Amino acid sequence: MSLRRSLPALVGAVALTLGLPVAASAATPAPTAVMNPCGFYETGSDAFYNHCTGDGSNVVIKVEVAMAPDYESCVGPGRSWLGSASRIQGAHYTGRTC
């Protein structure tokens, strides 16, 4: 185990032993980020593309479809429903705005 990995564990163990409060890790994602990650993601039944932006831009994504032609779509900020998770295989940003 490297020092980089073991040092935070050691500090945490010492803090717990001494009864000091231990702050939550900054790497823990917010619940909203876990539920709606940026880019393509699926739930149990649906496929989505979440365009995370601070500038309000619209972007072109390529949607990969099972047993059908792929297509491009213009999506705005936030979550866009793409279809059934069993039909949509993926989606990615093409590098263009719309």
Side-chain angles (χ1 to χ4, degrees):
M1 183 178 274
S2 73
L3 180 60
R4 182 179 284 168
R5 288 186 186 170
S6 61
L7 187 56
L10 178 63
V11 170
V14 170
L16 288 174
T17 303
L18 297 175
L20 301 173
V22 179
S25 171
T28 304
T32 305
V34 172
M35 292 173 33
N36 297 321
C38 296
F40 175 77
Y41 70 96
E42 296 177 334
T43 63
S45 59
D46 296 304
F48 296 92
Y49 188 88
N50 190 21
H51 175 43
C52 299
T53 182
D55 65 4
S57 63
N58 294 337
V59 296
V60 178
I61 61 170
K62 182 174 183 179
V63 181
E64 300 162 359
V65 185
M67 311 262 309
D70 296 346
Y71 65 91
E72 290 187 348
S73 181
C74 179
V75 297
R79 185 171 78 158
S80 298
W81 182 75
L82 301 177
S84 169
S86 62
R87 185 170 180 259
I88 305 299
Q89 295 179 320
H92 63 273
Y93 172 53
T94 62
R96 301 187 329 258
T97 58
C98 51

